[in-house]
C-alpha cells in the first residue's frame, strides 16, 4: 500500500478521506486539519496565548504537539493533579516529561493541601467521581485562563467522544447539555474563558496512530474511576457501526450540530451571572464549584483556588511551577 502523495509505504488508512498516507504525509495532513479547524470555527487568532489542559493521555499530548508544531499560538501546558493515587503520579510525571522534552512552559496545579483531591471530595458526597472531577477541572482551568490573561483554553475532546455525548444528550433529552457541546464556547469577559476543542473533527484512531508513530510519552494506565454506563456503550457501538457503513458520518453529524449550536449561542450568553463567592460565571447565586466545596469542605473554595493561581503561577511568570516538588512524583 503506497502513500497517496509519495512513493513511501503508507502507514495509515483514512477511510473517510479515501487516503493512504506515509508517516510524514500523515503528520502534514493532521497539521493542516488542525489549522483548518481553528479557522473554520474561529477558535483563536494567530499569535494568541492559549492554555492547553493536558491530562497526560494520548489525546492531550497529541493536541499539544500539533498546536506547538503549528506555531499558531503561545502555549501554556496546564495539568490539574487530581490526587488519584498511582494514576495521578504517573500522569504528573508524564506531563512534566512531555513538556520538558518539547521545551514548553507548564504548570502543575496541586490543590490537595486545601482538600481538593478527587478521592477525598468523592468520599464526602454522593456524586460520581467523574462528575466531581469534571467540575473541578473545568473550574480550575477556567479560573486559570482568565486570571493569567490567556485568550483561550484548549482541551483535547475528539470526534468519537463528542458524537457520543451529542447523541446521548439527545436520547436523555438533556438540551442544556446538548447545546453546551460545541467546538468553541465564546468567552464572557471577566466570567468565563473562551473554550476551544481543536480536535473536534479528529478521530481517536488518528490521534492514537500519531502519538505512537511520533513516540510521544502518554499515560496508558486507566483511571480507577473510569466507568462507561450501558447507554454510553450502546451509543458508541451504534455510531461506530454507522461510521463503518458510511465513513465520515461522525464528522457530518458534528458539523451539523456545530452549525446549529453556534448560531444559537449569543442569545444563551446574553445574561451571564457572577458567582457571589468567587465572581466567576454561575447559573445561580453561587457557581457549582463554590456550592459543592461549601457542602463538602465547609467553605466555598473558588477564591482560594484563584488566589493560589495568582500567587504561585503569576509570581513565577507561569514557568514550570508546581505545587509538589519533582522528587515526590513518579
Ligand atoms: Fe476524572 Fe473520571 Fe477521568 Fe478519572 S475517569 S480522570 S475521575 S473524569
Ligand atoms: Zn507520503
Ligand atoms: Zn464560585
Amino acid at each position: 500500500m503506497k502513500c497517496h502523495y509519495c512513493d513511501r509505504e503508507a502507514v495509515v488508512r483514512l477511510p473517510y478521506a479515501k487516503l493512504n498516507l506515509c508517516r510524514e504525509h500523515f503528520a502534514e495532513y493532521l497539521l493542516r486539519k488542525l489549522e483548518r479547524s481553528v479557522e473554520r470555527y474561529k477558535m483563536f487568532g494567530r499569535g494568541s496565548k492559549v492554555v492547553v489542559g493536558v491530562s497526560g493521555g494520548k489525546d492531550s499530548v497529541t493536541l499539544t504537539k500539533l498546536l506547538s508544531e503549528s506555531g499558531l499560538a503561545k502555549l501554556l501546558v496546564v495539568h490539574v493533579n487530581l490526587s488519584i493515587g498511582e494514576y495521578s503520579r504517573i500522569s504528573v510525571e508524564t506531563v512534566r516529561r512531555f513538556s520538558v522534552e518539547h521545551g514548553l512552559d507548564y504548570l502543575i496545579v496541586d490543590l490537595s493541601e486545601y482538600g481538593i483531591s478527587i478521592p477525598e471530595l468523592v468520599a464526602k458526597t454522593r456524586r460520581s467521581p467523574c462528575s466531581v472531577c469534571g467540575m473541578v477541572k473545568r473550574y480550575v482551568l477556567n479560573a486559570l485562563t482568565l486570571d493569567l490573561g490567556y485568550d483561550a483554553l484548549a482541551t483535547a475532546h475528539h470526534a468519537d467522544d463528542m458524537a457520543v455525548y451529542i447523541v446521548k444528550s439527545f436520547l436523555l433529552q438533556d438540551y442544556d447539555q446538548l447545546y453546551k457541546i460545541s467546538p468553541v464556547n465564546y468567552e464572557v469577559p471577566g466570567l468565563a474563558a473562551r473554550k476551544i476543542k481543536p480536535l473536534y473533527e479528529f478521530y481517536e484512531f488518528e490521534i492514537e496512530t500519531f502519538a505512537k508513530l511520533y513516540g510521544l510519552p502518554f499515560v496508558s494506565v486507566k483511571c480507577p474511576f473510569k466507568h462507561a454506563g450501558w447507554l454510553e456503550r450502546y451509543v458508541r457501538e451504534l455510531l461506530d457501526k454507522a461510521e463503518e457503513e458510511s465513513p465520515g458520518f461522525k464528522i457530518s453529524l458534528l458539523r451539523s450540530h456545530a452549525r446549529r449550536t453556534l448560531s444559537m449561542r449569543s442569545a444563551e450568553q446574553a445574561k451571564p451571572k457572577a458567582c457571589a463567592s468567587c465572581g466567576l460565571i454561575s447559573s445561580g447565586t453561587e457557581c457549582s464549584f463554590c456550592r459543592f466545596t461549601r457542602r463538602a469542605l465547609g467553605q466555598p473554595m473558588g477564591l482560594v483556588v484563584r488566589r493560589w493561581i495568582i500567587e504561585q503561577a503569576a509570581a513565577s511568570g507561569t514557568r514550570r511551577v508546581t505545587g509538589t516538588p519533582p522528587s515526590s512524583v513518579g
Side-chain angles (χ1 to χ4, degrees), residues 67-81:
L67 276 174
S68 145
E69 290 287 317
S70 77
L72 288 173
K74 182 183 178 321
L75 306 180
L76 172 64
V77 168
V78 176
H79 174 78
V80 182
N81 185 351

Side-chain angles (χ1 to χ4, degrees), residues 139 275-282 286-291 300 302-303:
Y139 186 86
C275 167
S277 296
C278 73
L280 295 184
I281 199 155
S282 168
E286 214 170 34
C287 74
S288 51
F289 181 77
C290 287
R291 226 173 33 238
L303 275 185

Side-chain angles (χ1 to χ4, degrees), residues 143-156:
L144 192 140
T145 308
L146 279 177
D147 288 337
L148 298 187
Y150 275 72
D151 301 306
L153 164 63
T155 52

